[in-house]
């Protein structure tokens, strides 16, 4: 076969030449040999996914140059400082071990793209707040902007990898942008490589993953690109844990995985409501069913509900996808997962109000924990936000403490227009105080509400706290972290209320049938979606 146009006689064709032979099948082995060696990686997006992922890649692949870029200068400066922009156990040590060696953080996005063999797209994909699909569909404007920028500044062969959570067939949109901006010197392959990280354990999840999922085209070029990315992960991940699929299966697997995990949480939370009425203990029930090997014990922890950047967003995305594909029954099934999560938050808030004699107006309530889970400063979709709003709507004065969430973030979360009317921003400042320690938050409070399972809350001096509180003093454990202390707390004098269990007999101000119906105790106006 004669060499393609532009190829030098007696030399192997370049990657660009191989990918532009019109009407010919590309020589797979030659393409593979050219593309499998990834020496430079660019990651667009220095957030909760891009920062930790690429830091671990740099540490595990010392021969690969990794550059993480972002338009946010303050965020990049923080990554280059001793105070990283996100808190994650073990992250600081990983960054410091390779920053300035083969790990760099920069705002020079174009240069990083141009130099890279492989580009991760790790930007935010929030739920749309207006237009078609409002409240359910993913907003892909940042993904589109990245694709256009990559196409504009790139030359040569590029492997572009979706790392952000995206709807099924989003890769097709990226390919269309690339195909519409083709150059004679440019060739792309698009892969899907979703992250499966849990905040709080992200570094261990990255270093010891259950699986790494890579989706790509079934063409020789697509398989070549898959092998190139697989080669990166094989520096530390066993080969049998790297799963390869087509692009669409990879994208759907991410949504499905999060939907299944959210479903388990909503399922056990629905059982927790039944436990409180019947006298069963949801922890005992969860243990009993979790020992069934067909079910397993993980994600059967009853609480005030799931939060974070992924679960609600991805389930809603799945709902929208099902509706768009004319599968209304499937859409309604997954929508119920979200509704049970909302119900659990409302039910817990109603219980607080009911126990406090059906009014919390002008009462000081200490809210311990604002992050959506322990070992992170992330507050996205945190149940603490919703519980705070419910209590504020009843006029409660909240004193909030979290060891990792900044005051500005808490105020911003409680003032966002999706949860309250614009004029309520001033009311937030009137009703909310950010405490610098848990003891000042609890002083003269009517009740303590634990919303995040920080370990430090198990070790507080509750005798000291009780003496400083108004009586009767209540503790509402929304995370079941004080189970071993119930007898001690009751001996001190606390009225203890927890999720999925009757700790002690109490006589509520309202009838028990009213307590079980959160809609009767919460404000009639609905929160904006």
């Amino acid at each position: 076969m004669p060499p393609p146009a532009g190829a030098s006689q007696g030399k192997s064709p370049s990657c660009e030449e191989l990918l532009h032979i019109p009407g010919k099948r590309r020589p797979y082995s030659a393409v593979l040999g050219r593309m499998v060696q990834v020496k430079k990686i660019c990651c667009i997006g220095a957030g909760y996914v891009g920062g930790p992922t690429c830091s671990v890649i740099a540490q595990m692949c010392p021969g690969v140059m990794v550059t993480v870029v972002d338009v946010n200068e303050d965020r990049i400066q923080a990554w280059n400082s001793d105070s990283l922009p996100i808190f994650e156990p073990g992250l600081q040590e990983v960054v410091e071990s390779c920053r300035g060696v083969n790990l760099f953080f920069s705002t020079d996005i174009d240069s990083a793209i141009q130099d890279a063999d492989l580009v991760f797209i790790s930007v935010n994909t929030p739920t749309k707040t207006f237009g078609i699909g409002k409240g359910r569909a993913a907003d892909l404007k940042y993904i589109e902007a990245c694709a256009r920028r990559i196409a504009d500044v790139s030359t040569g062969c590029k492997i572009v990898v979706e790392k952000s959570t995206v709807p099924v067939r989003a890769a097709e949109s990226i390919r269309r942008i690339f195909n519409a901006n083709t150059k004679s010197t440019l060739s792309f392959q698009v892969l899907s490589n979703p992250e499966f990280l849990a905040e709080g354990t992200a570094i261990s999840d990255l270093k010891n993953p259950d699986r790494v999922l890579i989706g790509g085209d079934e063409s020789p070029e697509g398989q070549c690109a898959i092998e190139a990315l697989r080669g990166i992960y094989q520096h530390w991940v066993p080969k049998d844990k790297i799963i390869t699929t087509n692009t669409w299966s990879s994208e759907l697997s991410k949504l499905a995985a999060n939907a299944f995990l959210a479903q388990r949480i909503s399922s056990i939370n629905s059982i927790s409501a039944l436990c409180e009425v019947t006298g069963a203990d949801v922890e005992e029930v969860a243990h009993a069913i979790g020992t069934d090997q067909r079910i397993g014990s993980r994600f059967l922890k009853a609480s005030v509900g799931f939060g974070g950047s992924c679960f609600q967003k991805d389930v809603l995305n799945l709902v929208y996808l099902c509706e768009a594909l004319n599968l209304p029954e499937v859409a309604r099934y997954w929508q119920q997962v979200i509704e049970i999560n909302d119900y659990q938050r409302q039910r817990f808030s109603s219980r607080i109000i009911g126990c406090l004699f059906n009014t919390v107006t002008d009462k000081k309530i200490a809210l311990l924990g604002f992050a959506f889970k322990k070992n992170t400063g992330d507050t996205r979709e945190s149940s603490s936000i919703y519980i705070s709003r419910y209590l504020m709507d009843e006029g409660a004065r909240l004193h909030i403490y979290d060891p990792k969430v900044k005051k500005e973030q808490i105020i911003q979360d409680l003032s966002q227009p999706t949860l309250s009317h614009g004029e309520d921003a001033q009311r937030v400042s009137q009703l909310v105080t950010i405490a610098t320690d848990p003891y000042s938050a609890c002083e003269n409070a009517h009740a303590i509400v634990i919303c995040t399972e920080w370990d430090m809350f198990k070790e507080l001096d509750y005798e000291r706290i009780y003496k400083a509180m108004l009586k009767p003093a209540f503790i509402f454990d929304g995370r079941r972290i004080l189970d071993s202390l119930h007898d001690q707390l009751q001996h001190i004098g606390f009225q203890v209320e927890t999720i999925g269990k009757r700790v002690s007999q109490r006589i509520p101000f309202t009838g028990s049938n009213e307590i079980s119906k959160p809609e009767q105790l919460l404000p009639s106006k609905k929160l904006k979606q």
Side-chain angles (χ1 to χ4, degrees):
M1 183 180 73
S8 301
Q9 295 289 340
K11 293 183 179 180
S12 299
S14 68
C15 178
E16 300 94 279
E17 292 165 341
L18 284 167
L19 294 175
H20 284 92
I21 305 174
K24 299 290 185 181
R25 179 176 176 84
R26 282 72 164 173
Y28 174 71
S29 59
V31 179
L32 177 61
R34 290 287 179 173
M35 295 183 68
V36 77
Q37 297 297 321
V38 174
K39 294 297 184 183
K40 292 184 178 181
I41 292 175
C42 166
C43 177
I44 306 176
Y48 282 90
V49 174
T53 298
C54 286
S55 296
V56 169
I57 289 176
Q59 186 182 58
M60 296 299 187
C61 305
V64 177
M65 302 297 291
V66 181
T67 303
V68 182
V69 295
D70 202 292
V71 295
N72 188 322
E73 292 186 12
D74 292 338
R75 179 178 294 172
I76 292 298
Q77 288 178 3
W79 278 109
N80 284 317
S81 72
D82 294 330
S83 180
L84 302 185
I86 63 175
F87 172 74
E88 190 67 41
L91 177 60
Q92 186 85 31
E93 292 78 7
V94 172
V95 171
E96 290 177 353
S97 71
C98 46
R99 186 174 57 193
V101 180
N102 69 322
L103 174 64
F104 303 91
F105 298 92
S106 172
T107 55
D108 189 353
I109 299 173
D110 292 348
S111 294
I113 293 173
Q114 290 166 358
D115 292 342
D117 305 309
L118 184 148
V119 180
F120 284 117
I121 298 179
S122 299
V123 295
N124 193 19
T125 53
T127 302
K128 291 183 70 173
T129 58
F130 60 89
I132 298 174
K134 173 186 176 182
R136 293 169 299 172
D139 190 341
L140 299 183
K141 62 184 178 182
Y142 301 119
I143 295 282
E144 180 182 346
C146 285
R148 293 186 182 279
R149 191 159 189 171
I150 293 169
D152 185 49
V153 304
S154 294
T155 58
C157 288
K158 297 289 183 190
I159 301 174
V160 178
V161 184
E162 296 174 331
K163 201 68 180 169
S164 306
T165 302
V166 293
V168 181
R169 301 197 74 87
E172 186 64 33
S173 300
I174 296 175
R175 287 196 185 96
R176 289 178 62 187
I177 292 173
F178 289 161
N179 291 338
N181 293 274
T182 55
K183 307 172 187 176
S184 60
T185 59
L186 179 60
S187 296
F188 288 106
Q189 280 298 315
V190 180
L191 301 179
S192 170
N193 177 219
E195 51 83 19
F196 295 100
L197 309 179
E199 290 186 42
T201 59
I203 300 303
S204 60
D205 292 341
L206 285 163
K207 290 187 175 182
N208 301 286
D210 292 333
R211 77 290 199 198
V212 171
L213 182 59
I214 303 173
D217 281 352
E218 296 177 350
S219 65
E221 298 84 5
Q223 295 302 304
C224 174
I226 288 175
E227 288 300 317
L229 182 54
R230 189 208 295 262
I232 293 295
Y233 286 113
Q234 281 183 341
H235 280 81
W236 77 96
V237 180
K239 188 174 182 179
D240 61 354
K241 288 190 174 184
I242 302 177
I243 303 171
T244 61
T245 68
N246 69 42
T247 311
W248 326 130
S249 294
S250 176
E251 291 177 336
L252 182 56
S253 293
K254 170 62 176 178
L255 294 183
N258 279 345
F260 272 58
L261 294 175
Q263 177 197 54
R264 286 174 66 90
I265 297 173
S266 284
S267 294
I268 198 63
N269 279 342
S270 70
I271 298 300
S272 74
L274 187 60
C275 288
E276 292 167 23
V277 175
T278 61
D281 184 342
V282 73
E283 289 283 292
E284 295 176 348
V285 174
H287 175 70
I289 65 177
T291 55
D292 188 327
Q293 293 182 359
R294 298 166 299 176
I295 298 174
S297 61
R298 301 185 69 179
F299 281 79
L300 288 180
K301 182 73 174 178
S303 69
V304 288
F306 58 76
S309 63
C310 291
F311 281 1
Q312 177 158 312
K313 179 185 71 172
D314 290 354
V315 175
L316 289 171
N317 196 337
L318 188 59
V319 170
Y320 181 72
L321 177 66
C322 294
E323 290 178 342
L325 297 176
N326 196 28
L327 299 171
E329 293 83 4
V330 181
R332 287 197 297 270
Y333 176 83
W334 289 109
Q335 179 64 37
Q336 190 62 29
V337 171
I338 297 296
E339 292 178 4
I340 286 292
N341 198 50
D342 292 339
Y343 166 75
Q344 186 78 344
R345 294 163 171 169
Q346 294 175 5
R347 196 173 66 83
F348 186 67
S349 302
S350 298
R351 194 169 173 187
I352 296 169
I353 296 168
C355 286
L356 294 179
F357 313 106
N358 206 28
T359 179
V360 292
T361 303
D362 289 330
K363 290 181 178 178
K364 177 180 177 179
I365 296 178
L367 195 143
L368 301 185
F370 203 80
F372 86 92
K373 63 183 292 189
K374 72 174 183 177
N375 293 333
T376 181
D378 194 354
T379 64
R380 287 175 291 181
E381 290 300 328
S382 173
S383 291
S384 301
I385 299 173
Y386 294 89
I387 291 168
S388 296
R389 287 302 312 177
Y390 293 141
L391 297 176
M392 289 166 60
D393 284 340
E394 290 289 315
R397 294 184 295 107
L398 302 182
H399 287 241
I400 301 172
Y401 170 76
D402 189 285
K404 291 297 178 181
V405 182
K406 297 179 180 179
K407 173 181 178 180
E408 296 76 15
Q409 185 64 53
I410 296 174
I411 298 301
Q412 177 183 328
D413 287 337
L414 294 179
S415 303
Q416 59 182 308
T418 55
L419 290 175
S420 62
H421 298 292
E423 64 268 23
D424 284 350
Q426 182 177 356
R427 193 160 184 261
V428 170
S429 64
Q430 294 172 344
L431 293 177
V432 175
T433 300
I434 309 304
T436 56
D437 66 86
Y439 295 102
S440 62
C442 297
E443 186 175 357
N444 292 320
H446 291 260
I448 300 169
V449 179
I450 299 178
C451 288
T452 308
E453 68 279 23
W454 288 103
D455 291 335
M456 67 175 297
F457 297 153
K458 303 176 187 177
E459 302 168 357
L460 297 177
D461 184 346
Y462 282 102
E463 288 194 17
R464 170 186 170 185
I465 289 174
Y466 179 78
K467 291 177 182 178
M469 290 179 65
L470 299 181
K471 312 301 186 294
F474 291 84
I475 291 182
F476 297 91
D477 183 3
R479 293 290 180 176
R480 292 294 297 255
I481 65 170
L482 301 180
D483 281 12
S484 63
L485 301 178
H486 286 169
D487 290 343
Q488 177 185 340
L489 292 171
Q490 287 181 300
H491 180 74
I492 291 172
F494 282 105
Q495 171 84 38
V496 181
E497 301 290 334
T498 193
I499 293 284
K501 179 184 178 181
R502 289 181 181 175
V503 177
S504 59
Q505 295 295 322
R506 60 182 173 85
I507 303 176
F509 181 74
T510 55
S512 60
N513 62 324
E514 294 178 303
I515 296 297
S516 64
K517 298 179 181 178
E519 66 274 9
Q520 294 183 10
L521 293 175
L522 292 171
S524 58
K525 63 180 180 179
K526 293 183 178 180
L527 296 176
K528 294 183 179 180
Q529 297 297 321

